[in-house]
Amino acid sequence: DTDRIPRFDLLSGELAFGAIDRLCQLRGWNPTTTPSGALRISRRARNYGARAVTLDMSSVVSREYSASVGDLHSQYTAVSQTYAFDSGDDITRTTAEHATVFDPNVGRYRPIVLHSPVAAKSVSLERVADWLANQRVAASERVTLDVVGAIGPNGKTWAPGWSVYVRDPAMSLDGIYTVASSRLTVRSESVVTQLQLVWPESYSTDPRDSKTTRVVVKKSGGRSRSAYRI
């Protein structure tokens, strides 16, 4: 990737893996670890974000819907810091800002504070907090479909990153999903592809591209300033 990031600052209290994850979000990369503990960074499928293909439900031999609340929180607070050097006082002044959104569907009190992966001046922190919350809400729901064959409607082998339109009244599904994973198996001389589908917001890489709000009912924000000598 020859497009260099002009500046990347470590945030107060940010761990190494948190910084790596934030950097990967800026570029749309997927950071993972191998069984040996090595870091592996990969790109999304080349047709990620392309026009959605329509799934023929007659080719689906089994289907399953699952939801998890393990990564859901009652409120999401996005924090960000900006720095400015004051040559007169020979100190660096920092401005810490935060914004919070609330999820009314989580009954228990379970807050979380997340570092904003983008600069505070480039997009409002309220929108960032909304985007971070939508990522987790979208990833909490998953649809598993077993489809006959290995070739999708566009004539290519099923692959993660595809956008797929699914309409299934029996499971109340009607929308565009993203293929999170695909697994090819052979069953009694027939080829079956298992697709794991999630909402596209779970793979959104930029809060400025987010158009769907699933969570926000209330917003609040604040700012604090501090200074330290370099």
Side-chain angles (χ1 to χ4, degrees):
D1 191 346
T2 57
D3 185 15
R4 296 184 178 180
I5 298 177
R7 182 186 177 97
F8 184 81
D9 294 323
L10 293 178
L11 303 177
S12 176
E14 186 174 36
L15 300 178
F17 287 106
I20 293 174
D21 182 69
R22 186 162 59 92
L23 178 61
C24 289
Q25 288 189 50
L26 295 175
R27 283 291 182 261
W29 297 334
N30 291 322
T32 56
T33 55
T34 64
S36 62
L39 176 65
R40 175 181 295 170
I41 298 178
S42 59
R43 293 184 180 275
R44 307 189 190 282
R46 286 178 296 177
N47 58 348
Y48 173 80
R51 180 176 299 179
V53 297
T54 301
L55 179 63
D56 182 7
M57 294 306 296
S58 64
S59 65
V60 177
V61 295
S62 67
R63 65 202 73 179
E64 178 185 344
Y65 169 85
S66 62
S68 172
V69 297
D71 200 27
L72 298 184
H73 298 265
S74 59
Q75 66 185 58
Y76 301 81
T77 299
V79 297
S80 180
Q81 290 180 327
T82 56
Y83 303 87
F85 177 65
D86 189 337
S87 58
D89 295 334
D90 194 31
I91 60 176
T92 296
R93 301 186 182 277
T94 66
T95 300
E97 301 181 6
H98 71 273
T100 302
V101 299
F102 299 83
D103 187 351
N105 297 314
V106 179
R108 68 195 188 285
Y109 178 68
R110 192 188 184 199
I112 186 174
V113 178
L114 302 166
H115 287 292
S116 172
V118 297
K121 294 182 179 180
S122 63
V123 61
S124 72
L125 274 181
E126 290 180 347
R127 190 167 183 179
V128 172
D130 182 20
W131 167 67
L132 292 171
N134 285 334
Q135 278 187 325
R136 284 161 175 75
V137 173
S140 68
E141 301 180 6
R142 187 173 296 264
V143 178
T144 303
L145 301 177
D146 288 344
V147 182
V148 175
I151 306 301
N154 58 1
K156 299 180 181 179
T157 304
W158 286 105
W162 282 22
S163 296
V164 182
Y165 174 69
V166 179
R167 186 178 187 277
D168 184 4
M171 296 187 66
S172 300
L173 301 178
D174 187 4
I176 296 177
Y177 296 81
T178 295
V179 178
S181 66
S182 60
R183 184 174 66 180
L184 185 67
T185 59
V186 178
R187 301 178 183 175
S188 301
E189 299 182 357
S190 63
V191 178
V192 176
T193 301
Q194 184 179 83
L195 303 176
Q196 297 277 346
L197 306 179
V198 295
W199 289 108
E201 287 83 359
S202 61
Y203 285 103
S204 172
T205 59
D206 192 336
R208 289 165 292 191
D209 296 335
S210 180
K211 298 180 181 179
T212 302
T213 299
R214 304 181 186 278
V215 177
V216 176
V217 295
K218 182 180 179 182
K219 296 180 180 180
S220 66
R223 174 179 297 185
S224 61
R225 297 180 182 274
S226 61
Y228 60 92
R229 295 191 179 277
I230 61 171

